[in-house]
Each structure stands twice: as structure tokens, then as C-alpha cells.
């Protein structure tokens, strides 16, 4: 009888040990699954993972954490995005876009341009008042361009710009309670690509097309560049300046850009070839 009791006790201990090992295995499996889901959620919440996706007002584009920023030390947000506490929140429906090194914005079908700091825009000088130019940038309010908003500008060395002239500038101040301010130089005080745009023509396109033209991989601009020498400046406010060696080339480039909206790569290629063929036979 004593031996039987010992065997029963050993059997019960082995069963309890197996149950304990089973519970521990299940707990480890649950923790592993939870960790996997958290990693996947973290990866999906990065800004880069959402580029090209349609976002709606109220969506959180990303949390301002090192993991979500993907190693970026600073983040610049443009049209349709705003920082709210520790998150970047979407304010307009559209597609999230990115331009190197660290600029994100929402691309949508918007009619009126809303200035944002660091935007590159094309403005039309309206008049000079005191020590500043009043410039139309296509927004709800006229922008101010200081006479000292040019590289090397001083009291004795002031730029002379006629009314109606086009300027390529950078938005240095954008506040809903103040008129926007622009400068024809970058944040370091260098002129760079900014300044008056002489010769050429200025025309308007949709804000979404302007965003596409600013992409280095823009199909229509690359196709035109392989066939025609031209210069171009694109403002995020929907204005484009084009200059070329002949008026025919200027007209061709301008028309091709305006007609390329909504076309894919194959359709853009056919459009450019047709326009070049027509120009040669005209």
C-alpha cells in the first residue's frame, strides 16, 4: 500500500509539472504575439510607411518619437499637417507626400493656396510701399517682401524691381493673424535659386500638379528635358515660370505641363512625342 501511494504522489507531481510547463509556454507565446503586433503597429505608424496613402482629417500621421521619425532629427510639415502636442495630425483630406530631406505635406485638390513657412513660391510684385514690396502670392492676403530680403541688400544697394515682375521667393513667416512675409534668399542668407525671374512666362496650374512638378522624378519634365533645353521654376502656390531659347519651345513646354495633369508615364511620353512632332511640321 505504501508503494502505491508513493507512485500516485509521483504521478500527480509529474502531471502538475506538465501543466505548469504548458501554462508557461502559452504565456510566452502570448507575449511573443503581443510583441509582434506592437512592432508591426510601430512600423505602420512611421511617416515613411504612410507616404502615398490617403489620410483624412483627424488622422495621426505619426507620433513624435524616435521610432516613428525614423532617425530624422527635425521634421518639417507643410500643407494639411499640424503638430498637436506629441503628434502630427492631418487637417485636410489627401495623399501624404514627402520631399527630401525631411518635408511632409498633404497633396489634395485645393483651389486656394495657404502659405506655410519654408514654402517656395512665385509671386507677382504689385507695388512698393516704404521699404517693402507688396507681392501677390495667390493666397487670401498679399505678402510683404522687404528691400533687405535679398542677399547682400543694404541701404545703398537695394534691388530695383518693377511692378508686375515675377519673383521666386521663400515664405519666411506664415501666421493666420498676420500677413505673410517672403524673402528672396534661404535661411542662411544665400540667394540660391531665389530672386527676380526675368524673361520667360508665368502660368498657373493646380496645387496638386505643382507638387508633382517639384518631384525630381516628374515624368513630363524629364521627358521634355531630354528633347528641349529649358529653365523652370515651380512654386507650391500653383505658379510655374518657364524660359527657353525660342518662343516655340516656351509654348511647347508650357502646354505640355498643363496637359500632363492626370496622365501616367506612357500617356505623358505619347503627349510629348506628339507635341514635338507637331512643332517640327508647323
Amino acid at each position: 500500500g505504501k508503494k502505491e501511494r508513493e507512485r500516485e504522489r509521483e504521478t500527480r507531481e509529474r502531471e502538475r509539472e506538465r501543466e505548469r510547463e504548458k501554462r508557461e509556454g502559452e504565456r510566452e507565446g502570448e507575449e511573443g504575439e503581443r510583441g509582434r503586433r506592437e512592432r508591426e503597429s510601430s512600423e505602420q505608424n512611421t511617416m515613411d510607411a504612410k507616404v502615398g496613402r490617403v489620410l483624412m482629417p483627424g488622422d495621426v500621421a505619426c507620433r513624435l518619437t524616435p521610432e516613428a521619425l525614423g532617425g530624422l532629427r527635425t521634421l518639417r510639415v507643410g500643407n494639411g499637417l499640424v503638430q498637436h502636442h506629441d503628434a502630427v495630425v492631418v487637417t485636410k483630406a489627401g495623399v501624404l507626400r514627402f520631399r527630401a530631406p525631411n518635408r511632409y505635406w498633404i497633396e489634395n485638390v485645393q483651389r486656394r493656396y495657404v502659405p506655410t513657412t519654408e514654402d517656395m513660391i512665385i509671386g507677382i510684385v504689385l507695388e512698393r510701399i516704404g521699404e517693402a514690396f507688396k507681392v501677390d502670392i495667390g493666397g487670401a492676403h498679399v505678402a510683404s517682401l522687404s528691400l533687405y530680403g535679398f542677399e547682400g541688400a543694404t541701404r545703398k544697394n537695394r534691388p530695383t524691381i518693377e511692378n508686375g515682375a515675377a519673383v521666386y521667393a521663400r515664405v519666411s513667416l506664415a501666421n493666420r493673424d498676420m500677413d505673410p512675409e517672403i524673402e528672396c534668399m534661404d535661411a542662411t542668407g544665400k540667394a540660391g535659386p531665389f530672386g527676380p525671374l526675368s524673361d520667360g512666362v508665368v502660368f498657373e496650374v493646380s496645387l496638386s500638379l505643382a507638387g508633382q512638378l517639384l518631384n525630381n522624378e516628374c515624368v513630363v519634365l524629364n521627358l521634355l528635358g531630354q528633347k528641349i533645353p529649358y529653365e523652370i521654376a515651380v512654386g507650391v502656390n500653383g505658379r510655374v515660370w518657364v524660359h527657353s531659347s525660342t518662343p516655340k519651345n516656351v509654348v511647347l513646354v508650357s502646354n505640355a505641363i498643363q496637359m500632363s495633369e492626370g496622365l501616367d508615364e506612357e500617356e505623358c511620353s505619347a503627349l510629348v512625342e506628339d507635341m514635338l512632332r507637331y512643332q517640327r511640321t508647323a
Side-chain angles (χ1 to χ4, degrees):
K2 184 177 180 181
K3 291 182 179 180
E4 290 179 357
R5 289 195 295 272
E6 288 179 355
R7 283 197 296 269
E8 290 176 357
R9 186 171 60 252
E10 290 175 356
T11 301
R12 288 195 296 269
E13 288 178 355
R14 284 196 295 269
E15 290 178 353
R16 285 196 293 269
E17 182 67 23
R18 284 196 293 269
E19 287 292 331
R20 186 165 53 250
E21 291 177 353
K22 183 179 179 180
R23 287 195 298 271
E24 289 178 354
E26 290 176 351
R27 186 164 55 250
E28 290 176 357
E30 291 175 357
E31 291 176 353
E33 179 65 19
R34 190 183 307 115
R36 185 185 64 80
R37 287 197 299 266
E38 290 176 354
R39 287 194 299 273
E40 289 180 353
S41 175
S42 175
E43 291 172 358
Q44 292 174 357
N45 285 330
T46 63
M47 288 286 276
D48 288 341
K50 295 183 179 180
V51 171
R53 289 171 52 185
V54 176
L55 301 180
M56 302 300 291
D59 287 349
V60 176
C62 83
R63 297 286 177 182
L64 298 179
T65 61
E67 294 79 12
L69 294 177
L72 290 176
R73 307 182 76 177
T74 58
L75 188 70
R76 294 188 181 277
V77 295
N79 176 52
L81 296 173
V82 65
Q83 180 181 346
H84 182 69
H85 299 305
D86 65 339
V88 176
V89 181
V90 180
T91 60
K92 297 178 182 178
V95 180
L96 180 65
R97 298 298 186 189
F98 169 74
R99 183 167 68 245
N102 59 355
R103 187 168 181 79
Y104 294 86
W105 75 97
I106 295 294
E107 180 182 281
N108 59 359
V109 183
Q110 178 179 319
R111 293 182 179 275
R112 170 160 284 182
Y113 167 66
V114 179
T116 303
T117 306
E118 299 300 325
D119 278 355
M120 298 182 295
I121 56 93
I122 294 178
I124 306 298
V125 177
L126 300 177
E127 60 179 337
R128 174 180 168 180
I129 299 179
E131 294 190 341
F133 296 102
K134 292 299 180 181
V135 182
D136 172 25
I137 60 174
H141 303 283
V142 174
S144 175
L145 171 59
S146 172
L147 291 175
Y148 307 107
F150 299 81
E151 181 181 5
T154 63
R155 285 187 174 273
K156 294 183 179 180
N157 181 27
R158 297 180 177 181
T160 302
I161 304 177
E162 300 293 333
N163 292 347
V167 294
Y168 194 47
R170 176 183 64 90
V171 178
S172 57
L173 175 65
N175 190 309
R176 65 180 181 179
D177 299 320
M178 301 173 61
D179 288 343
E181 296 181 5
I182 61 176
E183 296 178 341
C184 286
M185 55 184 180
D186 60 24
T188 64
K190 300 296 182 181
F194 304 111
L197 299 172
S198 57
D199 302 324
V201 297
V202 175
F203 57 93
E204 295 188 357
V205 299
S206 67
L207 299 184
S208 59
L209 179 56
Q212 295 171 24
L213 295 174
L214 285 167
N215 190 332
N216 291 332
E217 298 179 358
C218 179
V219 175
V220 67
L221 294 186
N222 290 337
L223 290 171
L224 289 168
Q226 296 171 9
K227 306 292 184 179
I228 299 174
Y230 68 92
E231 297 177 90
I232 188 171
V234 181
V236 297
N237 59 337
R239 288 180 179 158
V240 181
W241 172 85
V242 172
H243 177 256
S244 188
S245 55
T246 66
K248 282 187 176 183
N249 287 347
V250 172
V251 172
L252 188 149
V253 173
S254 302
N255 289 340
I257 289 173
Q258 294 178 79
M259 296 172 65
S260 68
E261 186 167 12
L263 303 183
D264 57 26
E265 183 173 353
E266 185 176 342
E267 292 170 333
C268 282
S269 179
L271 171 67
V272 172
E273 290 297 333
D274 289 344
M275 297 185 73
L276 288 170
R277 190 180 307 111
Y278 176 79
Q279 184 190 56
R280 287 193 294 268
T281 58

